[in-house]
Amino acid sequence: MLIKSEFDIQFHLPFRTPMLAMLHVHPSLEAQLITPERLKVEHAGPAEENEGTTELAVEEYVDRFGNRCSRFVAPPGAIRLTGSSVVNASDTPDLQGFGLPLTPIEELPADVLQFLLPSRYCEVDRLGSIAHDLFGRLSPGWEQAAAIRDWVHERVMFNYNAARPTKTAMDVFTERVGVCRDFQHLAVTLSRCMNIPARYVTGYLGDIRVPYGGPGDFSAWYQVWLGGRWWDMDGRHNEPRLGRILMATGRDAADVAITTSFAVANLTHFYVESNEIDEHGKAVPLPPSQATIQGSVQQHA
Amino acid sequence: MLIKSEFDIQFHLPFRTPMLAMLHVHPSLEAQLITPERLKVEHAGPAEENEGTTELAVEEYVDRFGNRCSRFVAPPGAIRLTGSSVVNASDTPDLQGFGLPLTPIEELPADVLQFLLPSRYCEVDRLGSIAHDLFGRLSPGWEQAAAIRDWVHERVMFNYNAARPTKTAMDVFTERVGVCRDFQHLAVTLSRCMNIPARYVTGYLGDIRVPYGGPGDFSAWYQVWLGGRWWDMDGRHNEPRLGRILMATGRDAADVAITTSFAVANLTHFYVESNEIDEHGKAVPLPPSQATIQGSVQQHA
Amino acid sequence: MLIKSEFDIQFHLPFRTPMLAMLHVHPSLEAQLITPERLKVEHAGPAEENEGTTELAVEEYVDRFGNRCSRFVAPPGAIRLTGSSVVNASDTPDLQGFGLPLTPIEELPADVLQFLLPSRYCEVDRLGSIAHDLFGRLSPGWEQAAAIRDWVHERVMFNYNAARPTKTAMDVFTERVGVCRDFQHLAVTLSRCMNIPARYVTGYLGDIRVPYGGPGDFSAWYQVWLGGRWWDMDGRHNEPRLGRILMATGRDAADVAITTSFAVANLTHFYVESNEIDEHGKAVPLPPSQATIQGSVQQHA
Amino acid sequence: MLIKSEFDIQFHLPFRTPMLAMLHVHPSLEAQLITPERLKVEHAGPAEENEGTTELAVEEYVDRFGNRCSRFVAPPGAIRLTGSSVVNASDTPDLQGFGLPLTPIEELPADVLQFLLPSRYCEVDRLGSIAHDLFGRLSPGWEQAAAIRDWVHERVMFNYNAARPTKTAMDVFTERVGVCRDFQHLAVTLSRCMNIPARYVTGYLGDIRVPYGGPGDFSAWYQVWLGGRWWDMDGRHNEPRLGRILMATGRDAADVAITTSFAVANLTHFYVESNEIDEHGKAVPLPPSQATIQGSVQQHA
């Protein structure tokens, strides 16, 4: 299945601003990229100066987690970050590791051990007893991992207005409301508490063969390490999905911000889309939405 | 100057326990090591079984921060971790980067950027306004970095009983009391808030050419990146010192725990020493303690 | 000056719901009330039952802070709380206690002492050192109290979306953004840290002789005890105002919620107004708004 | 049964210090007091001035919770607070309200409602979902109240070193370790979350007809409101006890500090005892301690 992802993000910058971006697909998808992919950063100076648009030099580097990152310095004015990719993605929904046992600590690859530790938004050191209370009687491994994902999905409500940059897994556990990243932070933390290595993921998750779900955005999910590999998990959209396009992985959202600005940057435009296309590049139509039916059900609730 | 460091740490383990340890001197000191260094882990089974002591197999690996780490699995019973090293250390006290300007973000090596981010015990995202209130009027770079270190040193009191594993920089900022790691977490966080890359360090800091300061322990300090290199800073012992022996660096204490046990591990013995020795291996005597004088001064405070 | 205040608040209740309300003007304003005031609570059952509207029995009581409170039980369905009052308010803007010294603890009335203690949203026990760092060099009493109010006003930004029910003074201090109650919680806490008794206030603060400021709402401010009396302070609207109509005082917002529902209560309508009226009951027109001028200034900022 | 309680608490004060104390038995015990009770505060100036001891004037007042409080101002130097009481206490261990249903909110006395609200150390607004997860399936009322007390008793470990003044119920819930007040704060909070009014209590709880339990101290427990009265509950000593002597009740520890000093006060001596006496005033001997037996059991754990 072909997945075309694209973005157009614009900021107004009052000052000269160094920026970082993690807007590439993940190096592990290199072989599946149908078209070469790049990040284009354009700058337009103050309107009165009428200088037109210039493309800014962008330097690329790979961070310690293996993510492809970009950095550049933008002069004051308007900047625009654009890019697109076509990835030959798997035709199979998220794989399931039913029945996998917990990997003993001593068999974990050295590089995976760090995903057991506490991190900024994942207070493993505070949620340990809570996790054991909730999931300690389940079979270690996939059963626990899936139960954690399901618990988070059922107990936390989605609400865009409940987002805030400092919100941690503990906050999500007590407030039970949040956005994408909040669901994943709580699930990641509870997983690590049960000695299941878990890492935070950003990427594209378009409405692929599911009904239209609203304007596009980047998505967050997470991965757990069991049976010698990472498995995609999603505390918010708790169903096997098609078309996840991995961009970056890290301990938590602190490691994989889409953009980081080292001065004031006012977002002025934000467009992200990720869609299935056919071999001619045309968008594959989505199945009909079931919003009406769901609406009437809710009215009686 | 020759610095001999050694440790003898013992645990009683009720269960089979996978463990991690960061008990080597840092790879960057390799060339200064006078004697080869290794971690020895011995195990004694339950006394009644009378099996004597066996040495456990220890696997070594280098983590993403470049630290030399060890891992092993210990059967139930008593374990003992020992090791020693002699390092040919610099004869110069901690170097000072007086007057160094702040390195512009765009000139920071890619690998240094991560030390601007928030981490588990360093809530850069919560202390930003506070740091700017306190240090925003100072000259960016060394002046700010030194002012942060001094402020932490003056405002936070040392108290062993005020330690707890979940204590963060924000907790230290409000409680104003803590142990070694707490001083450094607060200073690291405030430094990052001012765009000064800062990382947490563990190592040996014995009483080298200073009066006896009490039983030995591992120490924590931190480093800031200015002028193209890392500089040692110490929010607790705020004076240039001799004989710091680097063991590991990370974002904060979560990355560089001396030992990590994945089951109950009861500490039964703890000995750490780090001393200057002469070319014959003899300890160099310390200067006389000034404890009496200080004591009488305190009486009038 | 006559101030007419009125409200119309409606909820949909899925279940039978006990509720508390603090919707009366404060008993201390009794003598200034021009018209008797009461809280009317009406209930309409499910539409299909066509039962019309019934008025619910409301019980009144005075809480330990001396506030006039109401309690009632509402059956499932729609409820509507309405009320209005006309108060003969002072023609003088908020009085200022310039130069008042701090009242020594031993001279505080016993009943005022509680307003030095920490409370749910006012962590006096965590902000003590911070307050002394910021305000410790100022003259104790009014000068400190005013400096605290000004500091909060200048450093915290208003943003409706930054509200959340669990937000504390410490959160406001770090996030520097919030709504009315958040400004006051921080100012109350910092005042108490300097031994200035401070209590949280809810009431009406309409656009009285100031330009139109947007749709009406209840307001929060606070009071400090100096020179033998309480003085109104307002960390958000930091200018002497006319027409504050006191409703309730307490340690913090936990004590003086406008309504408290002991089951799900979905707000469906919210109208609050407080205006100056003339002797014929007509609204006194407001001075012209300066929004346009301010807007153009902001454009160049 | 006669219970004699006494205390001798001494501080060194560098400065003139206003102080509050809650060192009386509760007014509700007035009729059971065998001997009149008073708080004596003595002051000794600096040794070199040789002025001997003077008794300080102490003012008494009753706070909003109905507790008998004392206030005084102490000059610099040493102060000593002493007092004793003999109370004719009930011969029955803590009464149990087995089977009592939850009191509907609308039937709670107005004065009891405040004990449903969040307070400084009891974040009812953060623990609501957690409490419902844990106790929501139990029968509302005594069954829930007892289950909460038992849960806290079983899941939290006692450790004197884990005390800190800012520790809240949420901290106890995550850290699972604390002192007396921490157990009660968590239980109070969880009870309120289930709409069971709960208040914090300080008092004497000596080793009365139980084996010697270590040096005396004031104790904290809590009370829940069910069936029209308050019932003693104790999350730490989770067994019906004899000889609880009530001193003060409040929302949490912030309301009922034994002493509050408005300047530095260094504790130099602390003696508290509460014992059963016979009609001649002689201490009734305790049953034999089972420490030895317990010790040997622990050795095999």
Side-chain angles (χ1 to χ4, degrees):
Chain A
M1 139 183 327
L2 298 180
I3 304 290
K4 180 175 186 182
S5 306
E6 50 193 343
F7 60 86
D8 179 347
I9 305 172
Q10 300 173 28
F11 295 97
H12 182 266
L13 308 175
F15 310 106
R16 181 170 176 279
T17 304
M19 293 187 79
L20 311 179
M22 298 177 87
L23 281 163
H24 288 289
V25 301
H26 195 261
S28 63
L29 294 178
E30 198 75 38
Q32 293 162 260
L33 267 176
I34 300 300
T35 53
E37 178 226 31
R38 81 179 184 102
L39 167 66
K40 187 176 179 182
V41 183
E42 293 162 288
H43 174 261
E48 60 267 33
E49 299 182 13
N50 228 337
E51 284 177 352
T53 292
T54 26
E55 193 170 341
L56 298 181
V58 176
E59 185 189 336
E60 302 217 341
Y61 64 99
V62 174
D63 71 11
R64 292 208 176 171
F65 296 101
N67 303 307
R68 222 173 126 200
C69 309
S70 312
R71 57 193 290 185
F72 54 89
V73 182
I79 61 161
R80 181 183 186 191
L81 290 71
T82 51
S84 76
S85 62
V86 177
V87 171
N88 190 354
S90 163
D91 290 315
T92 317
D94 298 336
L95 295 178
Q96 307 295 312
F98 297 122
L100 283 174
L102 183 71
T103 311
I105 300 289
E106 58 268 33
E107 294 173 17
L108 292 173
D111 213 44
V112 168
L113 288 169
Q114 67 183 312
F115 297 106
L116 290 172
L117 296 178
S119 56
R120 173 63 187 102
Y121 302 112
C122 298
E123 307 105 321
V124 177
D125 47 348
R126 296 195 74 203
L127 279 135
S129 300
I130 294 166
H132 280 86
D133 282 353
L134 290 172
F135 307 108
R137 279 177 300 264
L138 300 180
S139 172
W142 183 267
E143 186 181 326
Q144 275 177 341
I148 287 169
R149 179 200 61 204
D150 294 350
W151 191 94
V152 169
H153 179 73
E154 282 158 26
R155 303 303 174 101
V156 180
M157 283 192 319
F158 184 86
N159 184 342
Y160 255 119
N161 295 324
R164 62 178 187 274
T166 58
K167 198 170 196 171
T168 69
M170 178 57 72
D171 292 328
V172 185
F173 182 69
T174 58
E175 302 177 19
R176 303 284 166 98
V177 62
V179 294
C180 229
R181 80 174 215 159
D182 299 321
F183 285 75
Q184 321 308 348
H185 279 155
L186 179 52
V188 161
T189 308
L190 294 170
S191 301
R192 290 182 192 166
C193 288
M194 305 312 294
N195 282 344
I196 303 169
R199 65 184 188 186
Y200 184 90
V201 171
T202 57
Y204 298 100
L205 177 61
D207 299 322
I208 311 295
R209 300 193 190 173
V210 298
Y212 177 71
D217 196 349
F218 297 104
S219 195
W221 61 91
Y222 71 106
Q223 295 178 329
V224 296
W225 179 274
L226 289 172
R229 53 159 286 182
W230 291 107
W231 302 85
D232 285 324
M233 290 259 169
D234 190 335
R236 189 183 161 210
H237 305 99
N238 188 13
E239 48 181 20
R241 288 284 288 264
L242 286 157
R244 292 186 193 272
I245 305 297
L246 184 67
M247 297 174 79
T249 67
R251 289 203 194 165
D252 60 30
D255 290 330
V256 292
I258 296 295
T259 61
T260 304
S261 315
F262 290 90
V264 177
N266 300 306
L267 188 69
T268 53
H269 181 79
F270 187 79
Y271 166 84
V272 180
E273 275 298 325
S274 186
N275 294 303
E276 184 181 1
I277 57 173
D278 61 22
E279 66 271 33
H280 310 295
K282 279 197 185 156
V284 175
L286 300 183
S289 166
Q290 294 167 352
T292 322
I293 301 167
Q294 289 176 346
S296 70
V297 169
Q298 286 173 346
Q299 254 175 4
H300 293 90
Chain B
M1 147 185 318
L2 297 180
I3 305 289
K4 179 173 186 184
S5 306
E6 50 193 342
F7 58 87
D8 179 347
I9 305 172
Q10 300 173 28
F11 295 96
H12 182 265
L13 308 175
F15 310 106
R16 182 174 176 276
T17 305
M19 293 187 78
L20 312 179
M22 298 177 87
L23 281 162
H24 288 288
V25 301
H26 195 261
S28 63
L29 295 179
E30 198 75 37
Q32 294 162 258
L33 268 176
I34 300 300
T35 54
E37 177 225 35
R38 81 179 185 100
L39 167 66
K40 186 174 180 184
V41 183
E42 293 163 287
H43 173 260
E48 61 268 32
E49 298 182 14
N50 228 335
E51 283 177 352
T53 292
T54 29
E55 193 171 341
L56 298 181
V58 175
E59 187 189 335
E60 303 216 339
Y61 64 98
V62 174
D63 71 11
R64 292 205 176 174
F65 295 102
N67 302 309
R68 220 172 128 201
C69 309
S70 312
R71 56 193 291 185
F72 55 89
V73 182
I79 60 162
R80 180 183 187 192
L81 291 72
T82 50
S84 74
S85 61
V86 177
V87 171
N88 190 352
S90 163
D91 290 313
T92 317
D94 299 335
L95 296 178
Q96 307 294 312
F98 297 122
L100 283 174
L102 183 71
T103 311
I105 301 289
E106 58 268 30
E107 295 174 16
L108 292 173
D111 214 44
V112 169
L113 288 168
Q114 68 183 311
F115 297 107
L116 291 172
L117 297 178
S119 56
R120 174 63 187 101
Y121 302 112
C122 298
E123 308 105 321
V124 176
D125 46 348
R126 297 195 74 202
L127 279 135
S129 300
I130 293 166
H132 281 87
D133 283 353
L134 290 171
F135 307 108
R137 278 178 300 265
L138 301 179
S139 172
W142 183 267
E143 184 180 327
Q144 274 177 342
I148 288 169
R149 179 201 60 203
D150 293 349
W151 191 94
V152 169
H153 179 72
E154 282 158 26
R155 304 301 174 104
V156 180
M157 282 191 319
F158 185 85
N159 183 343
Y160 255 118
N161 295 324
R164 62 179 188 273
T166 59
K167 197 170 197 172
T168 69
M170 177 58 71
D171 291 328
V172 185
F173 182 69
T174 57
E175 302 176 18
R176 304 283 166 99
V177 61
V179 294
C180 226
R181 78 173 217 160
D182 300 319
F183 285 75
Q184 322 306 349
H185 279 156
L186 179 52
V188 162
T189 308
L190 294 170
S191 301
R192 291 182 191 165
C193 288
M194 303 314 291
N195 283 343
I196 303 169
R199 65 184 188 186
Y200 183 91
V201 171
T202 57
Y204 298 100
L205 176 61
D207 298 323
I208 313 293
R209 301 193 190 174
V210 297
Y212 177 72
D217 196 349
F218 297 105
S219 194
W221 62 90
Y222 71 108
Q223 295 177 329
V224 296
W225 179 274
L226 288 172
R229 54 162 285 185
W230 291 107
W231 302 85
D232 285 323
M233 291 258 170
D234 190 335
R236 192 187 159 205
H237 305 98
N238 189 14
E239 49 181 18
R241 288 284 288 264
L242 286 156
R244 294 186 191 273
I245 306 297
L246 185 66
M247 298 174 80
T249 68
R251 290 204 195 164
D252 60 31
D255 290 330
V256 292
I258 296 293
T259 61
T260 304
S261 315
F262 290 90
V264 176
N266 300 306
L267 188 69
T268 54
H269 182 79
F270 186 80
Y271 166 84
V272 180
E273 275 298 326
S274 188
N275 294 302
E276 184 181 2
I277 56 172
D278 61 22
E279 66 271 34
H280 310 296
K282 279 196 185 159
V284 174
L286 299 183
S289 166
Q290 295 165 352
T292 322
I293 301 166
Q294 289 176 346
S296 70
V297 169
Q298 286 172 345
Q299 255 174 2
H300 292 91
Chain C
M1 148 184 317
L2 297 179
I3 304 290
K4 179 174 186 183
S5 305
E6 50 195 341
F7 58 87
D8 180 346
I9 305 172
Q10 299 173 29
F11 295 97
H12 182 266
L13 309 175
F15 310 107
R16 181 172 176 280
T17 304
M19 292 187 79
L20 312 179
M22 298 178 87
L23 281 162
H24 288 288
V25 301
H26 195 260
S28 62
L29 295 179
E30 198 75 37
Q32 293 162 259
L33 267 177
I34 301 300
T35 54
E37 179 225 31
R38 82 180 184 98
L39 166 67
K40 187 174 180 183
V41 183
E42 294 163 288
H43 173 261
E48 59 268 31
E49 299 182 14
N50 228 336
E51 284 176 353
T53 292
T54 26
E55 192 170 342
L56 298 181
V58 176
E59 186 189 336
E60 302 217 339
Y61 64 98
V62 174
D63 71 11
R64 292 207 176 172
F65 296 101
N67 303 307
R68 221 171 127 201
C69 309
S70 312
R71 56 193 291 186
F72 55 89
V73 182
I79 61 160
R80 181 183 186 192
L81 290 72
T82 50
S84 75
S85 61
V86 177
V87 172
N88 189 353
S90 162
D91 290 314
T92 316
D94 298 336
L95 295 178
Q96 307 295 311
F98 297 122
L100 282 174
L102 182 71
T103 310
I105 301 289
E106 59 267 32
E107 295 174 17
L108 292 174
D111 213 45
V112 169
L113 288 169
Q114 67 184 311
F115 297 107
L116 290 172
L117 297 178
S119 56
R120 173 62 187 103
Y121 302 113
C122 298
E123 306 104 322
V124 176
D125 47 348
R126 296 195 74 202
L127 279 135
S129 300
I130 294 166
H132 280 85
D133 283 353
L134 290 171
F135 307 108
R137 278 178 299 263
L138 301 179
S139 172
W142 183 267
E143 184 180 326
Q144 274 177 342
I148 287 168
R149 180 200 60 204
D150 294 349
W151 191 94
V152 169
H153 179 72
E154 282 158 26
R155 303 301 175 103
V156 179
M157 282 192 318
F158 185 85
N159 184 342
Y160 255 119
N161 295 324
R164 61 179 189 275
T166 58
K167 198 171 197 171
T168 69
M170 177 58 72
D171 291 328
V172 185
F173 182 70
T174 58
E175 302 178 18
R176 304 283 165 98
V177 61
V179 294
C180 229
R181 81 174 214 159
D182 299 319
F183 286 75
Q184 320 308 348
H185 279 155
L186 179 52
V188 162
T189 308
L190 294 171
S191 301
R192 290 181 192 165
C193 288
M194 303 313 293
N195 282 344
I196 303 169
R199 65 185 188 185
Y200 184 90
V201 171
T202 57
Y204 298 100
L205 176 61
D207 299 321
I208 311 295
R209 302 194 188 172
V210 299
Y212 177 72
D217 196 349
F218 297 105
S219 195
W221 61 91
Y222 71 106
Q223 295 177 331
V224 296
W225 179 275
L226 289 172
R229 54 160 287 183
W230 290 107
W231 302 86
D232 285 323
M233 291 258 169
D234 190 335
R236 192 188 157 205
H237 305 99
N238 189 14
E239 49 181 20
R241 288 284 288 265
L242 287 156
R244 293 185 192 274
I245 306 296
L246 184 67
M247 298 175 79
T249 67
R251 289 204 196 164
D252 60 30
D255 290 330
V256 292
I258 296 294
T259 62
T260 304
S261 314
F262 290 91
V264 176
N266 299 305
L267 188 70
T268 55
H269 182 79
F270 187 79
Y271 166 83
V272 180
E273 275 298 326
S274 187
N275 295 303
E276 184 181 1
I277 56 173
D278 61 23
E279 68 271 33
H280 310 295
K282 278 195 186 161
V284 174
L286 299 185
S289 165
Q290 294 166 353
T292 321
I293 301 165
Q294 290 176 344
S296 69
V297 169
Q298 285 171 346
Q299 252 174 6
H300 292 92
Chain D
M1 146 185 318
L2 298 179
I3 305 290
K4 178 173 186 184
S5 306
E6 49 193 343
F7 59 87
D8 179 347
I9 306 172
Q10 300 173 27
F11 295 96
H12 181 264
L13 308 176
F15 310 105
R16 181 172 176 278
T17 305
M19 293 187 79
L20 311 179
M22 299 178 86
L23 280 163
H24 288 288
V25 301
H26 195 261
S28 63
L29 295 178
E30 198 75 37
Q32 293 163 258
L33 267 177
I34 300 300
T35 53
E37 177 225 33
R38 80 179 185 101
L39 166 65
K40 185 174 179 183
V41 183
E42 293 163 287
H43 173 260
E48 61 266 34
E49 300 182 13
N50 228 337
E51 285 176 350
T53 292
T54 26
E55 192 170 342
L56 298 181
V58 176
E59 186 189 335
E60 301 218 341
Y61 64 98
V62 174
D63 71 11
R64 292 207 176 172
F65 296 101
N67 302 308
R68 221 172 128 200
C69 309
S70 312
R71 56 192 292 185
F72 55 89
V73 183
I79 59 162
R80 181 182 187 194
L81 291 72
T82 51
S84 75
S85 62
V86 178
V87 171
N88 189 353
S90 163
D91 290 314
T92 318
D94 298 336
L95 296 178
Q96 307 294 312
F98 297 122
L100 283 174
L102 183 71
T103 310
I105 300 289
E106 58 268 30
E107 295 174 16
L108 291 174
D111 213 45
V112 169
L113 288 169
Q114 68 183 310
F115 297 106
L116 291 171
L117 297 178
S119 56
R120 173 64 187 102
Y121 302 112
C122 298
E123 308 104 320
V124 176
D125 47 347
R126 297 195 74 202
L127 279 135
S129 300
I130 293 165
H132 281 86
D133 283 353
L134 289 172
F135 306 108
R137 278 179 299 265
L138 300 179
S139 174
W142 183 269
E143 185 181 326
Q144 274 177 342
I148 287 168
R149 180 202 59 203
D150 294 349
W151 192 94
V152 169
H153 179 72
E154 282 159 26
R155 303 302 174 102
V156 179
M157 282 192 318
F158 184 86
N159 184 344
Y160 255 119
N161 295 323
R164 62 179 187 272
T166 58
K167 198 169 196 173
T168 70
M170 178 58 71
D171 291 329
V172 186
F173 182 68
T174 58
E175 302 176 19
R176 303 285 166 98
V177 62
V179 294
C180 228
R181 79 174 217 160
D182 300 319
F183 285 75
Q184 320 307 350
H185 279 155
L186 179 53
V188 162
T189 307
L190 294 170
S191 301
R192 291 182 191 165
C193 288
M194 303 314 291
N195 282 344
I196 303 169
R199 65 184 188 186
Y200 184 90
V201 171
T202 56
Y204 299 100
L205 177 59
D207 298 323
I208 312 294
R209 302 193 188 174
V210 298
Y212 178 71
D217 196 350
F218 297 105
S219 194
W221 60 90
Y222 70 107
Q223 295 177 328
V224 296
W225 179 273
L226 289 172
R229 54 160 286 183
W230 291 108
W231 302 86
D232 284 323
M233 291 257 169
D234 190 335
R236 189 182 161 210
H237 305 99
N238 190 15
E239 48 181 20
R241 288 283 290 263
L242 286 156
R244 292 186 193 274
I245 305 297
L246 185 66
M247 298 174 80
T249 68
R251 290 204 193 163
D252 61 29
D255 290 329
V256 292
I258 295 295
T259 61
T260 304
S261 314
F262 290 90
V264 177
N266 300 306
L267 188 69
T268 54
H269 181 78
F270 186 79
Y271 166 83
V272 180
E273 275 299 325
S274 187
N275 294 303
E276 183 181 1
I277 56 172
D278 61 23
E279 66 271 35
H280 310 295
K282 280 197 185 159
V284 175
L286 299 184
S289 164
Q290 293 165 354
T292 322
I293 301 166
Q294 289 175 347
S296 70
V297 169
Q298 285 172 348
Q299 255 175 4
H300 292 91

